[in-house]
């Protein structure tokens, strides 16, 4: 057995057994973050905090929610909303949090795209981040089923039907996913399991991986500058804080994060208390009815852009377009052929690519919300959907011709 | 550790891993797949009988079979007959699963125009279930049925249904 001295205090006692001082150094005081960053670099910790809010509010909702098609609707809309003390608070935090987590994910993604934070050694950061996006999407969808209202039911119907693969007519697969011919009890209970156990586990695992992938390539900075971290770290530790290009994660970087989080949570709780209805579709306050389709089925705002890519095409083509749109962002580090790690503003044509992509996704989002019957909006939707693919096809060519900085 | 000791250990490790994967992993995956299958009770509840004797012309009846809406429409004299019609006595009926073949919404019946219109993505079907506008790729599906006097048994494939299947009128 290892030799132990009598410890002078609790910290030393823990350090002997768990190496807490080393751990603190590695994870906090000597985990170096570049200094040349802005508030957009705080989005990662804002996301972590939002996930925390979702987890805590979810635990309280879980105490009264009943995963049964006969009981689910009332357990949410009656028991939790009007009987449980502050039950409404957990539900509003959970609904608003689920919506805002996607807003921040999109900001986080487009920040990464703008500053080239997916390139040269940072590919795994991007890929694990995209993995998180997919896991969060599945988590949001499975959670949307649980109140078992009209939108839950019909979103479940439409999304599971996508797995029939259009002309492949794989209805066996669809029925297998549902555990029934239509979304029913087996469907609700298995999506409940996914929502409260399997997917959160996957998300937590992916968050750990995402942090891990940051460690060796380091966080990118505003100019995409490559510098010697060890040298800068020595300067910082020697007290030459001004000359050093880095700051420690904790407490320096984290204090900036906490400030941004403070501003963010003002918005968060403003929505929770005064505008929660934006995250609560009125149609979903009708109980699920398999014999009555709502007049217009649309997903939550964060899925609208990819939904709009599905819509304007024929069934098979729409499905293929939709499937590609879901995974094409994974390919970004490999389709960008330029060696430059720099903000988009300094990268020639890529600057226009970035803004065109951002605006296109926003336009798709707006068109996805509008009913399908208006010819003008249908045309704008079609053009935006085609533009989405044109941009991705153009990406390798415009980045290949980019001048090396 | 000698070179061939390492080689032997690697071999034993891989043999154990491979063996475990085959006799444990594959059956475990099969068990997981089977646990996701529809339950026998769900499958057994898959038959519905509909009495057609009281049906009125050009009025859509929506029945429920396997949780899905079933359209039953008695055609009036001025409506076109179709090989997809279910004939009971002298009457022609349109019988189909009331889910749009695009993404599964329920189309509404508009009696004056003799057509079905889906609100989700604007698809339309005529009174025989053929797609006439929008994204639906195929006609409304006909559920397995058997004519039994003036009754219709859904879920059981009778000779008329089998003939429609053979003629490629439904999937």
């Amino acid at each position: 057995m290892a030799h132990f001295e009598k410890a002078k205090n609790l910290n030393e006692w823990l350090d002997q057994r768990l190496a807490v001082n080393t751990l603190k150094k590695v994870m906090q005081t000597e985990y170096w973050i570049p200094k040349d960053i802005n508030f957009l670099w705080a989005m990662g910790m804002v996301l972590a905090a939002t996930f925390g809010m979702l987890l805590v509010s979810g635990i309280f909702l879980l105490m009264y929610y009943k995963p049964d098609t006969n009981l689910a609707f009332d357990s949410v809309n009656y028991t939790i909303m009007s009987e449980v003390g502050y039950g409404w608070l957990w539900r509003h935090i959970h609904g608003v949090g689920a919506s805002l987590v996607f807003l921040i994910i999109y900001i986080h993604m487009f920040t990464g795209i703008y500053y080239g934070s997916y390139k040269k050694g940072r590919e795994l950061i991007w890929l694990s981040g995209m993995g998180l996006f997919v896991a969060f999407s599945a988590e949001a969808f499975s959670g949307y089923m649980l109140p078992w209202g009209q939108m839950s039911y019909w979103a479940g119907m439409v999304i599971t039907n996508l797995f029939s693969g259009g002309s492949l007519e794989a209805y066996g697969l669809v029925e297998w996913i549902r555990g029934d011919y239509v979304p029913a009890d087996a469907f609700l209970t298995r999506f409940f399991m996914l929502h409260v156990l399997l997917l959160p586990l996957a998300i937590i695992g992916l968050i750990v991986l995402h942090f891990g992938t940051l460690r060796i390539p380091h966080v990118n900075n505003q100019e995409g500058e490559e510098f010697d971290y060890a040298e800068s770290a020595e300067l910082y530790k020697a007290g030459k804080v001004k000359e050093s290009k880095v700051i420690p994660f904790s407490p320096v970087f984290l204090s900036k994060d906490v400030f941004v989080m403070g501003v963010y949570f003002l918005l968060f709780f403003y929505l929770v208390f005064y505008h929660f209805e934006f995250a609560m579709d009125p149609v979903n306050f009708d109980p699920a009815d398999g014999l009555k389709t709502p007049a217009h089925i649309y997903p939550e705002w964060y899925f609208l852009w990819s939904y709009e890519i599905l819509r304007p095409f024929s069934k098979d083509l729409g499905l293929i377009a939709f499937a590609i749109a879901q995974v094409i962002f994974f390919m970004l580090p490999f389709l960008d052929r330029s060696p430059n790690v720099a903000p988009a503003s300094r990268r020639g044509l890529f600057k226009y690519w970035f803004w065109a992509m951002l605006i296109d996704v926003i336009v798709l989002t707006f068109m996805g919300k509008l009913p399908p019957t208006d010819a003008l909006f249908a045309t704008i939707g079609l053009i935006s959907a085609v533009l989405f693919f044109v941009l991705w096809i153009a990406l390798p060519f415009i980045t290949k011709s980019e001048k090396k900085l | 550790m000698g070179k061939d000791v390492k080689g032997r250990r690697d071999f034993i490790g891989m043999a154990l891993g491979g063996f475990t994967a085959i006799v444990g992993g594959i059956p475990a995956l099969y068990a997981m797949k089977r646990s996701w299958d529809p339950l026998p009770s769900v499958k057994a509840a898959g038959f519905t009988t509909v009495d057609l004797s009281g049906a009125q012309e050009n009025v859509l009846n929506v029945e429920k079979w396997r949780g899905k809406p079933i359209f039953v429409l008695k055609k009036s004299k001025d409506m076109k007959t179709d090989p997809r019609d279910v004939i009971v006595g002298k009457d022609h009926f349109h019988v189909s699963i009331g889910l749009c073949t695009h993404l599964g919404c329920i189309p509404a019946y508009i009696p004056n125009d003799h057509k079905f219109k889906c609100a989700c993505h604007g698809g339309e079907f005529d009174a025989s279930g053929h797609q006439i506008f929008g994204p639906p790729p195929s006609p409304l599906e006909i559920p397995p049925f058997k004519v039994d006097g003036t009754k219709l048994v859904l879920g059981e494939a009778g000779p008329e249904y089998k003939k429609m299947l053979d003629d490629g009128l439904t999937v």
Side-chain angles (χ1 to χ4, degrees):
Chain A
M1 188 183 137
H3 179 69
F4 284 86
E5 299 280 337
K6 186 173 164 46
K8 286 196 270 306
N9 53 40
L10 180 65
N11 187 62
E12 200 179 311
W13 189 87
L14 281 172
D15 192 42
Q16 287 169 346
R17 286 155 181 81
L18 211 57
V20 285
N21 288 346
T22 316
L23 205 64
K24 196 174 162 195
K25 250 191 199 174
V26 172
M27 307 285 270
Q28 300 184 356
T29 55
E30 291 187 16
Y31 174 31
W32 304 104
I33 306 289
K35 208 188 258 176
D36 184 22
I37 56 176
N38 59 42
F39 78 98
L40 291 167
W41 268 254
M43 294 307 146
M45 290 314 287
V46 169
L47 280 171
T50 311
F51 182 64
M53 298 297 290
L54 287 166
L55 197 63
V56 172
S57 56
I59 286 169
F60 285 92
L61 293 172
L62 190 49
M63 298 192 336
Y64 291 96
Y65 176 74
K66 295 192 174 75
D68 177 308
T69 49
N70 293 318
L71 305 172
F73 186 83
D74 283 342
S75 76
V76 174
N77 289 301
Y78 179 68
T79 312
I80 289 173
M81 289 305 283
S82 54
E83 277 203 299
V84 178
Y86 287 88
W88 55 270
L89 178 67
W90 308 123
R91 189 182 185 200
H92 290 169
I93 289 176
H94 212 67
V96 167
S99 208
L100 285 186
V101 92
F102 278 93
L103 177 69
I104 308 298
I105 285 175
Y106 286 135
I107 295 174
H108 197 54
M109 275 174 70
F110 276 94
T111 303
I113 299 174
Y114 186 85
Y115 290 101
S117 310
Y118 51 87
K119 303 171 64 152
K120 258 206 249 175
R122 294 198 176 93
E123 296 90 344
L124 273 178
I125 306 175
W126 181 260
L127 292 174
S128 59
M130 281 304 298
L132 274 166
F133 175 69
V134 172
F136 267 105
S137 299
E139 180 70 357
F141 173 72
S142 57
Y144 200 68
M145 298 300 105
L146 303 188
W148 208 241
Q150 272 290 66
M151 273 298 186
S152 305
Y153 183 91
W154 287 99
M157 178 73 104
V158 170
I159 298 295
T160 46
N161 263 342
L162 293 177
F163 289 90
S164 67
S167 296
L168 296 177
E169 290 172 347
Y171 296 115
L173 177 64
V174 174
E175 280 162 19
W176 181 73
I177 292 170
R178 291 175 185 159
D180 203 330
Y181 303 105
V182 288
D185 215 48
F187 173 85
L188 181 60
T189 49
R190 67 186 51 177
F191 275 80
F192 172 71
M193 175 282 288
L194 290 174
H195 186 73
V196 303
L197 180 66
L198 193 58
L199 289 169
L201 273 182
I203 286 173
I204 291 166
L206 280 165
I207 290 174
V208 172
L209 175 66
H210 196 53
F211 285 165
T213 57
L214 268 173
R215 194 80 200 192
I216 294 170
H218 286 289
V219 175
N220 194 11
N221 54 67
Q222 280 197 94
E223 295 301 317
E225 188 192 352
E226 208 179 305
F227 60 83
D228 189 339
Y229 268 79
E231 189 188 17
S232 254
E234 286 314 314
L235 279 174
Y236 191 95
K237 282 196 278 188
K240 293 181 179 164
V241 175
K242 268 210 174 116
E243 290 84 348
S244 173
K245 289 180 174 176
V246 296
I247 47 173
F249 176 79
S250 174
V252 184
F253 174 68
L254 209 53
S255 64
K256 293 182 178 200
D257 272 358
V258 169
F259 174 76
V260 178
M261 261 186 241
V263 176
Y264 165 75
F265 276 115
L266 283 178
L267 168 74
F268 188 99
F269 283 106
Y270 168 72
L271 292 172
V272 165
F273 290 117
Y274 299 105
H275 277 293
F276 50 85
E277 80 282 351
F278 92 97
M280 308 261 157
D281 196 291
V283 181
N284 219 24
F285 287 88
D286 288 327
D289 181 352
L291 297 184
K292 201 176 111 212
T293 325
H296 177 202
I297 299 177
Y298 44 81
E300 288 291 283
W301 72 267
Y302 39 84
F303 293 143
L304 286 171
W305 69 272
S306 56
Y307 177 68
E308 184 58 23
I309 284 173
L310 170 79
R311 227 166 40 156
F313 302 110
S314 68
K315 185 169 171 174
D316 284 342
L317 197 60
L319 272 178
I320 293 165
F322 181 73
I324 293 172
Q326 294 304 307
V327 295
I328 193 72
F329 277 94
F330 275 98
M331 295 302 294
L332 182 62
F334 313 105
L335 292 176
D336 184 338
R337 309 300 302 162
S338 156
N340 298 325
V341 180
S345 61
R346 286 170 42 204
R347 287 185 55 194
L349 279 175
F350 183 79
K351 177 168 91 177
Y352 301 103
W353 187 92
F354 172 83
W355 291 109
M357 178 55 80
L358 180 61
I359 292 165
D360 193 47
V361 170
I362 293 170
V363 170
L364 283 168
T365 300
F366 277 99
M367 293 305 124
K369 183 79 185 186
L370 296 165
T373 39
D374 190 298
L376 173 67
F377 294 135
T379 312
I380 296 174
L382 176 65
I383 292 169
S384 316
V386 172
L387 180 64
F388 182 82
F389 291 103
V390 169
L391 283 170
W392 280 107
I393 293 165
L395 183 62
F397 299 103
I398 64 168
T399 48
K400 187 101 195 175
S401 66
E402 197 175 307
K403 278 197 209 89
K404 193 163 169 28
L405 290 171
Chain B
M1 189 158 61
K3 205 176 165 190
D4 48 288
V5 174
K6 188 177 180 307
R8 262 186 281 165
R9 285 203 180 164
D10 284 352
F11 173 77
I12 291 169
M14 283 188 286
L16 177 65
F19 180 75
T20 322
I22 290 165
V23 304
I26 294 172
L29 280 176
Y30 177 72
M32 290 175 196
K33 187 259 166 201
R34 288 282 289 110
S35 291
W36 276 65
D37 278 347
L39 302 177
S41 58
V42 167
K43 287 187 158 169
F47 298 93
T48 305
T49 304
V50 185
D51 190 354
L52 297 174
S53 55
Q56 286 174 295
E57 288 182 357
N58 203 24
V59 175
L60 183 72
N61 278 313
V62 182
E63 306 289 339
K64 197 170 170 181
W65 169 72
R66 294 186 182 173
K68 293 175 185 170
I70 300 296
F71 288 164
V72 180
L73 178 69
K74 187 175 177 181
K75 289 189 168 180
S76 52
K77 295 283 172 290
D78 58 325
M79 287 158 83
K80 262 196 304 196
T81 58
D82 192 273
R84 289 161 52 91
D85 288 350
V86 176
I87 301 163
V88 178
K90 283 180 189 159
D91 299 323
H92 282 250
F93 286 86
H94 167 68
V95 177
S96 62
I97 299 177
L99 299 174
C100 180
T101 49
H102 181 222
L103 285 173
C105 301
I106 302 176
Y109 185 61
I110 300 162
N112 293 336
D113 301 342
H114 298 329
K115 69 181 180 190
F116 296 96
K117 201 169 161 54
C118 179
C120 288
H121 303 97
E124 290 180 10
F125 301 87
D126 66 14
S128 301
H130 296 290
Q131 76 277 22
I132 49 176
F133 179 77
S138 51
L140 291 174
E141 276 169 43
I142 298 172
F145 68 87
K146 202 181 107 184
V147 180
D148 181 13
T150 59
K151 290 198 181 82
L152 197 63
V153 182
L154 298 171
E156 201 178 328
E160 296 92 340
Y161 174 74
K162 283 184 183 145
K163 188 168 182 310
M164 285 185 192
L165 263 190
D166 293 340
D167 296 347
L169 298 174
T170 186
V171 290

